[in-house]
Structures are given as structure tokens and as C-alpha cells.
Amino acid sequence: MIYLQLFLSFLQIGMFSFGGGYAAMPLIQGQVVTTHHWLSMEEFTDLITISQMTPGPIAINSATFVGIKIAGIGGALAATFGCILPSCIIVTCIARLYLKYRNLTLLQGILNSLRPAVVALIASAGISILITAFWGSKAVITFANTNWLLVVIFAVCIILLQKLKMNPILVMVLAGVIKTVVSLVVSTF
């Protein structure tokens, strides 16, 4: 039964996550954290971090991670297959239609109208993760409750990515090193 639940949950995510992995985050959060309670919000934040650090699409990495955590290898296969099945079918159909009708103004208008919705999905997921990172899972947003070290690391990462155009993998490694060093220094005193 759990295999079917994993398959159906990630089938829904795969069917409705237009715009890539970041746009899928609210859908994954809804299924994994809110609906089924397979992960806590902290575990979900860790899941997104791990999914970004490992090669491959975020949604598929998330499906595999959740599947293994919930039901082992069989769960990983069920969740991953559920996640990729809609994409395989939809992309095959759309590719055929796009090649046939790509010059139609109506089609270009539809594609342009989807962009703001995708940006909203990405922003929503980013804000949820930011709140969890800075204020914890209870999301009591107060000045005293803020994890200032993580705010500083976030600001440094933004500067490195936007201003210095640093490689995102190096920025993630650097953020991990900074947090580890600060934690070791604080624990020794």
C-alpha cells in the first residue's frame, strides 16, 4: 500500500510541476510534509539541500530520497517512477505538437502566460525554505528568534552568486564550511 501511495503522490507532483525542480517544491512539500507527514519541515529543507547538491533533477532526487526513507529501495523505485512517468508522456506529446505548430502565435502566447505562474511557484518555495532556515520549523518570526549566522551566510552566498558570479557548487561548499567552522569555534568556547 505504501508503494502505491508513494507512486500516486509523486505521480501528482510529476503531472503538475511545470517549470522545473524549484517550481515543484511547493507540490513536494504539500504531499510529503502536509498531506502524508512523511517528513518534518526541517527534514524537507534538508531534502531540498541534498537534492540540489546531488546530480540530477531536484524532483527526481527528492522522490528517490523520500521513497528510500519511507519504504527502502522499492519505495525509491515507486516514487521515482511516479515522478518521471508524467514527464515522459507529456514531453513526448508536447514535442510532437510543438514541432508541428511552433510558429503559431496562440502557442507562443500560452507559453508566455505560464512564466509568471512558474515564478510565483519558485518564489513561494524559496520563501518557505528561507523562513524555516532563519526562524526554524515553528516559523515564529521575531528579531530575537532569528538565526543571524544563517542570515549572514545567506547574504554572503547572494553576493558570491550575483556579484562575483561564483560557481553555485563552490558557494554551497563554502557555506557548509563556514557553518561547520563557526559551530566548531563556538563549541570549543
Side-chain angles (χ1 to χ4, degrees):
M1 186 66 171
I2 190 67
Y3 298 123
L4 183 60
Q5 281 183 326
L6 284 164
F7 175 79
L8 292 175
S9 293
F10 280 95
L11 183 72
Q12 290 175 16
I13 292 165
M15 284 189 336
F16 298 111
S17 59
F18 295 98
Y22 295 112
M25 282 191 262
L27 299 173
I28 297 169
Q29 179 183 350
Q31 287 291 325
V32 172
V33 177
T34 308
T35 303
H36 296 291
H37 307 289
W38 288 327
L39 300 177
S40 67
M41 193 58 192
E42 287 94 4
E43 290 173 318
F44 176 72
T45 303
D46 292 342
L47 163 74
I48 297 304
T49 303
I50 291 167
S51 295
Q52 288 175 336
M53 290 173 41
T54 53
I58 292 172
I60 295 171
N61 291 345
S62 299
T64 306
F65 179 84
V66 171
I68 284 177
K69 184 174 185 329
I70 301 306
I73 298 294
L77 291 172
T80 304
F81 184 64
C83 189
I84 65 170
L85 181 63
S87 298
C88 292
I89 294 168
I90 291 169
V91 166
T92 302
C93 294
I94 288 175
R96 291 190 60 146
L97 290 172
Y98 183 76
L99 290 173
K100 188 173 182 179
Y101 299 110
R102 68 178 157 224
N103 295 327
L104 285 178
T105 306
L106 177 65
L107 179 62
Q108 292 303 318
I110 291 169
L111 293 175
N112 287 337
S113 68
L114 289 175
R115 287 186 186 121
V118 170
V119 171
L121 286 169
I122 294 168
S124 172
I127 290 168
S128 294
I129 292 170
L130 204 65
I131 288 170
T132 302
F134 293 167
W135 293 283
S137 65
K138 296 181 181 162
V140 178
I141 301 173
T142 63
F143 189 78
N145 223 12
T146 304
N147 187 332
W148 290 106
L149 173 61
L150 296 181
V151 172
V152 170
I153 291 173
F154 174 77
V156 168
C157 290
I158 291 289
I159 291 167
L160 293 174
L161 289 167
Q162 293 298 313
K163 298 290 183 191
L164 301 178
K165 306 293 185 205
M166 201 167 166
N167 184 318
I169 294 170
L170 293 176
V171 172
M172 288 192 320
V173 169
L174 182 62
V177 168
I178 291 170
K179 175 67 170 123
T180 303
V181 168
V182 169
S183 295
L184 289 173
V185 169
V186 169
S187 68
T188 58
F189 291 108

